[in-house]
Amino acid sequence: MPSPRPSEPLLGRARRWRRPLLWAALVGLLLIAQSLLVALTLSYEATRSQEQVEQVAGEVAGRVKQSASRYLQGLQALMWLREPGPVLWRSHAAELLREHRPLLRIEQRNLNLGVDEAVDSPFAQPLFTLLPREAIGLEPELACVAARRQGTQLYSRSYFVPMAGGEGLEVVDLCLPQMRAGQIAGYLVATISLRMLLEESVATDHARGHEFSFVEGDGTRLARAGLTRGAGVYLMERLVDLPGLTLQLRVDSGAGAPRLIPNLATALVMGLSLALFAVVLLLARDVRRRAQVEAALAEALAFRKAMEDSLITGLRARDLDGNITYVNPAFCTMVGFSAEEMLGSTVPPYWPPEFRESYQERYKSLARRLEAQQDPRAGFETVFMRKNQERFPVLLFEAPLLDPQGRHRGWMSAVLDVSAQRRVEEISRQQQERLQATARLATMGEMASLLSHELNQPLAAIASYATGSLNLIEREAHDAQTPQMLHQALGRIAEQAERAGRIIKSVHDFVRRREQAREPVGADQLVEAVMPLVRLQARKSGARVELDLPTPVPRMRCDRTMLEQVLLNLTRNGIQAMDGEATPLAERVLTLRVRQQGRWVSFFVTDRGPGIAPDVAKRLFTPFFTTRSEGMGLGLSLCRTVVEQHGGALDFESRTVATEHRPTGTEFHFTLPADMPTNAPTDVAEPEADPLRSEV
């Protein structure tokens, strides 16, 4: 009778549990093997580190004994040099100290242990500067007594010698009895630094990774050597037996406890185990991630398609032969052709027939620029044709089309329809032309106003000179000076007529806002040019004009005619401000002063009029604002504009009496850049010479 077959649910559950159990057994075995391997490796590393410390301790202890033997041989050779004399002995003792730095002091003692001769090491401070040798000489005396009793050299116990600066040294003394004819004739005592002895015995490669020290039985450290501090994990103590002295050498390794991964073999095993786990996890995740990536790729393609379809910028792709491989809906809408009509065509239907040859040559030039390793990306404006034969301007940007491996596969173009922008630019250009025509009319009006304002002064001067000439001619009595005065007056008329011509030209250039003709001019030349007109204005009002010019006179590079107009306007305003009953005749004084401070030249025009009211001061430089019925209100506005065009500044100040708080006049001042040599200093002090003062 056949045995009953297990039911299907039981088989299914067994199969479901089989794979997890196998994975669990595999993981358990890997963990056990890896743990045992790590434990054995750590034990091996710890044992090897301890053995290295023991080996280093044995080597250092051997070197300490070798060094002590060398010192003993040198001292024994020195004992036989006592007879020739102390000078030769001290010379050989100093030589021995230079050869062995741990030797700090060598003494020659008598039978009573008194010090007859002593030589200190040149490489260290003298030992017994703070405390005398007699105060800390018990240890060497005990060593010498024991050496005499035993008839051999002996070391003393270590003791501490204080040094300057709060420091000190742990030293030992080596006592050698000197024998003469079987009798002790004296003692040779050498003082040895334990720290220097230890440093001399430690190799450089050992000092980098270990700490070495001499310690006492209770653990007190006497001397230390080594570049690092010990970690206290791997320690080794070794006894160094010297005649009459036993030193305990302690070696402390700077290495700590072994790490979890002490060597490459353990790292490889653990790395392979982790890699195995990672591979299994990656395989499990690969199928799931592949499905996610495929879904994301489909979504990205759909998003890119929707984005390209929604763009208003036309996109076009061509291969290396010039065939169109892609166009987006915006490009199709722009040119009026469908994608089927354009794809695969070498000569696109949207190229105007008259431009096709030039467009093909331009496409070839892109490839040549790429072959020459030049940047082929370019943006330029061209003309396309719609399906209805309408030409329209476009802005085209070309860039290389690269595949995922970076190989050049064609060209990608971005196309912008700029026909609407060109229409707006044309409308703007027409409006700009109309504005320019309006501005020219306004400029003509401004020029007429300025000319009428500025020509008043030279024309008034011409009229005054002409009237004076007529008066001289009509006088019945003529003297010898009449022709000379007529000649002078006619010359003044010619000068003012020439000045009027210069004013017309300068004002014309000023209104056009072009670069003015600049020339080097001295401040005295500007003042002398305007003084005739200033004198005429001053005589009419009964005022006096004072000049205050420095020596040497500063120079500027400026438009001479316009600066003369500035001085005339300011002096005329100052003289007119003193007209009237507010200023007595005796106090009507106009001062014109010039100063140079560094690279700036300052002009000051000061009157003694009633000053400027605060409400008037706010609008003083506003064009067409004036307080006189016959004025036009352009003088001060013109002055400020001219000074600012020269790089300077124009301002004013109303002066008052400090005690009575009443106005005593107004001072207008403006600055101009000085015409300085290229090698002149930037800061030039004001000259100390007395300024030239004159009164007119």
Side-chain angles (χ1 to χ4, degrees):
M1 181 177 180
S3 60
R5 299 179 60 185
S7 61
E8 293 298 330
L10 292 177
L11 290 175
R13 282 198 297 270
R15 289 171 181 169
R16 283 198 305 269
W17 284 100
R18 183 182 303 169
R19 182 172 298 175
L21 288 175
L22 292 175
W23 277 105
L26 177 61
V27 171
L29 291 175
L30 287 175
L31 290 176
I32 293 173
Q34 188 173 2
S35 301
L36 290 175
L37 178 61
V38 171
L40 292 174
T41 304
L42 292 178
S43 176
Y44 171 75
E45 290 295 329
T47 303
R48 191 176 65 173
S49 298
Q50 185 63 37
E51 290 176 352
Q52 289 178 353
V53 173
E54 293 178 0
Q55 181 181 358
V56 170
E59 293 178 1
V60 173
R63 290 197 185 98
V64 170
K65 291 183 178 181
Q66 291 176 3
S67 298
S69 177
R70 288 197 304 272
Y71 305 157
L72 180 60
Q73 292 175 3
L75 293 172
Q76 287 175 345
L78 184 62
M79 284 194 305
W80 305 104
L81 295 175
R82 177 64 176 171
E83 295 300 332
V87 176
L88 182 61
W89 181 88
R90 293 178 63 87
S91 175
H92 285 77
E95 181 66 24
L96 184 61
L97 291 173
R98 281 192 295 270
E99 292 177 0
H100 306 288
R101 291 200 176 193
L103 293 178
L104 301 180
R105 182 181 174 92
I106 299 176
E107 298 173 347
Q108 180 68 49
R109 298 197 176 197
N110 52 33
L111 289 175
N112 297 325
L113 298 178
V115 179
D116 294 339
E117 299 289 342
V119 179
D120 290 307
S121 173
F123 303 111
Q125 298 179 5
L127 289 176
F128 306 106
T129 55
L130 296 181
L131 291 178
R133 179 60 164 164
E134 294 77 10
I136 52 176
L138 179 61
E139 297 298 335
E141 292 178 0
L142 294 177
C144 289
V145 171
R148 181 175 59 186
R149 184 171 57 252
Q150 298 179 15
T152 184
Q153 65 275 0
L154 292 178
Y155 283 87
S156 69
R157 295 180 55 187
S158 64
Y159 59 95
F160 183 78
V161 178
M163 304 290 288
E167 299 180 351
L169 291 174
E170 193 75 23
V171 299
V172 295
D173 289 323
L174 174 60
C175 183
L176 287 80
Q178 290 181 319
M179 306 298 293
R180 294 290 186 273
Q183 299 294 327
I184 295 178
Y187 303 92
L188 186 65
V189 178
T191 304
I192 303 172
S193 171
L194 292 180
R195 178 176 61 82
M196 294 182 181
L197 174 62
L198 187 59
E199 290 176 351
E200 186 183 57
S201 304
V202 174
T204 304
D205 54 344
H206 293 162
R208 293 193 185 100
H210 301 79
E211 180 184 12
F212 302 88
S213 57
F214 285 132
V215 297
E216 293 183 346
D218 57 356
T220 303
R221 185 163 57 189
L222 302 177
R224 177 193 174 277
L227 301 179
T228 60
R229 293 289 181 180
V233 178
Y234 302 109
L235 294 172
M236 183 59 192
E237 294 186 356
R238 181 68 63 88
L239 295 179
V240 181
D241 292 326
L242 299 175
L245 176 65
T246 300
L247 294 175
Q248 186 172 354
L249 174 64
R250 175 182 293 174
V251 180
D252 190 354
S253 175
R259 295 173 296 176
L260 182 61
I261 305 177
N263 52 30
L264 181 60
T266 307
L268 288 176
V269 172
M270 295 182 65
L272 291 175
S273 301
L274 295 176
L276 179 61
F277 287 118
V279 168
V280 174
L281 294 176
L282 290 175
L283 289 175
R285 293 177 57 191
D286 183 71
V287 176
R288 184 176 71 255
R289 292 188 63 182
R290 185 182 297 273
Q292 293 176 351
V293 169
E294 290 176 354
L297 179 60
E299 184 180 355
L301 290 175
F303 177 74
R304 191 188 71 174
K305 184 67 170 58
M307 181 177 62
E308 293 174 355
D309 293 344
S310 62
L311 284 176
I312 61 174
T313 301
L315 298 179
R316 178 196 65 183
R318 292 187 291 177
D319 58 17
L320 296 177
D321 297 329
N323 300 320
I324 297 177
T325 58
Y326 169 78
V327 289
N328 70 336
F331 188 80
C332 297
T333 304
M334 184 185 304
V335 297
F337 294 96
S338 64
E340 290 75 12
E341 293 175 308
M342 292 184 287
L343 293 178
S345 60
T346 305
V347 180
Y350 50 81
W351 280 2
E354 63 272 18
F355 297 142
R356 287 179 180 176
E357 293 183 1
S358 61
Y359 287 0
Q360 288 178 346
E361 182 62 27
R362 185 171 59 194
Y363 181 75
K364 295 178 182 178
S365 66
L366 292 175
R368 289 194 295 268
R369 292 180 61 186
L370 186 63
E371 292 176 358
Q373 296 183 352
Q374 298 178 357
D375 189 4
R377 292 175 294 182
F380 51 88
E381 187 173 338
T382 186
V383 177
F384 281 176
M385 181 181 67
R386 305 189 199 274
K387 195 172 185 179
N388 59 2
Q389 306 299 314
E390 176 189 357
R391 273 68 170 172
F392 65 100
V394 295
L395 192 60
L396 186 63
F397 297 92
E398 296 275 7
L401 184 62
L402 306 178
D403 62 7
Q405 287 73 33
R407 295 189 295 267
H408 183 217
R409 294 301 187 185
W411 300 91
M412 191 68 193
S413 306
V415 186
L416 296 176
D417 186 356
V418 294
S419 56
Q421 180 180 352
R422 295 296 176 265
R423 287 193 296 269
V424 172
E425 291 176 355
E426 179 64 21
I427 295 174
S428 176
R429 185 187 62 81
Q430 296 175 1
Q431 292 178 349
Q432 186 68 21
E433 290 181 354
R434 288 194 291 269
L435 287 175
Q436 290 178 358
T438 304
R440 284 193 292 270
L441 293 175
T443 302
M444 293 176 61
E446 182 181 358
M447 184 182 298
S449 299
L450 288 174
L451 286 174
S452 63
H453 178 269
E454 298 301 330
L455 288 177
N456 281 336
Q457 296 177 6
L459 291 177
I462 292 173
S464 299
Y465 286 123
T467 302
S469 300
L470 292 174
N471 291 336
L472 290 175
I473 294 174
E474 292 176 357
R475 284 194 310 182
E476 296 179 357
H478 297 284
D479 51 13
Q481 295 182 354
T482 299
Q484 182 180 358
M485 296 175 65
L486 286 174
H487 184 272
Q488 183 179 3
L490 292 176
R492 295 293 186 182
I493 291 174
E495 290 178 2
Q496 296 303 319
E498 183 182 357
R499 176 178 177 76
R502 291 201 309 268
I503 290 174
I504 292 174
K505 183 178 182 302
S506 296
V507 172
H508 178 263
D509 294 340
F510 171 73
V511 172
R512 290 177 60 188
R513 295 295 192 270
R514 67 174 180 82
E515 184 68 21
Q516 303 293 329
R518 306 290 175 87
E519 58 179 337
V521 180
D524 55 342
Q525 295 175 328
L526 293 178
V527 174
E528 290 175 1
V530 300
M531 281 310 298
L533 296 178
V534 175
R535 291 192 186 97
L536 289 176
Q537 185 76 20
R539 280 195 202 96
K540 292 179 181 180
S541 62
R544 292 179 295 115
V545 180
E546 292 184 354
L547 299 181
D548 187 356
L549 303 180
T551 304
V553 179
R555 297 177 62 83
M556 301 82 61
R557 180 172 291 274
C558 60
D559 186 346
R560 178 172 180 171
T561 304
M562 297 306 295
L563 261 298
E564 290 176 0
Q565 289 300 119
V566 172
L567 285 177
L568 278 176
N569 286 338
L570 295 180
T571 54
R572 183 192 59 186
N573 290 345
I575 293 173
Q576 291 177 354
M578 294 185 291
D579 286 342
E581 300 178 355
T583 305
L585 189 61
E587 297 181 4
R588 296 181 183 180
V589 178
L590 181 73
T591 304
L592 181 58
R593 182 163 52 94
V594 180
R595 289 290 182 271
Q596 181 175 359
Q597 295 179 347
R599 60 188 185 91
W600 296 98
V601 179
S602 301
F603 288 78
F604 302 88
V605 180
T606 308
D607 62 66
R608 298 185 182 179
I612 300 176
D615 56 339
V616 176
K618 296 179 181 179
R619 305 175 58 191
L620 193 60
F621 294 100
T622 303
F624 302 105
F625 172 77
T626 181
T627 57
R628 297 192 300 271
S629 58
E630 70 278 6
M632 297 183 62
L634 291 174
L636 290 178
S637 176
L638 173 67
C639 292
R640 169 170 279 188
T641 304
V642 170
V643 172
E644 289 178 352
Q645 282 186 348
H646 283 75
L650 172 64
D651 206 349
F652 70 95
E653 178 185 0
S654 291
R655 297 186 173 184
T656 59
V657 179
T659 56
E660 302 177 8
H661 297 285
R662 63 179 179 85
T664 61
T666 305
E667 180 182 82
F668 281 84
H669 51 272
F670 63 91
T671 57
L672 296 173
D675 184 24
M676 302 178 64
T678 56
N679 57 352
T682 56
D683 294 330
V684 179
E686 190 175 26
E688 299 179 357
D690 293 334
L692 174 64
R693 297 184 59 89
S694 62
E695 181 177 313
V696 181

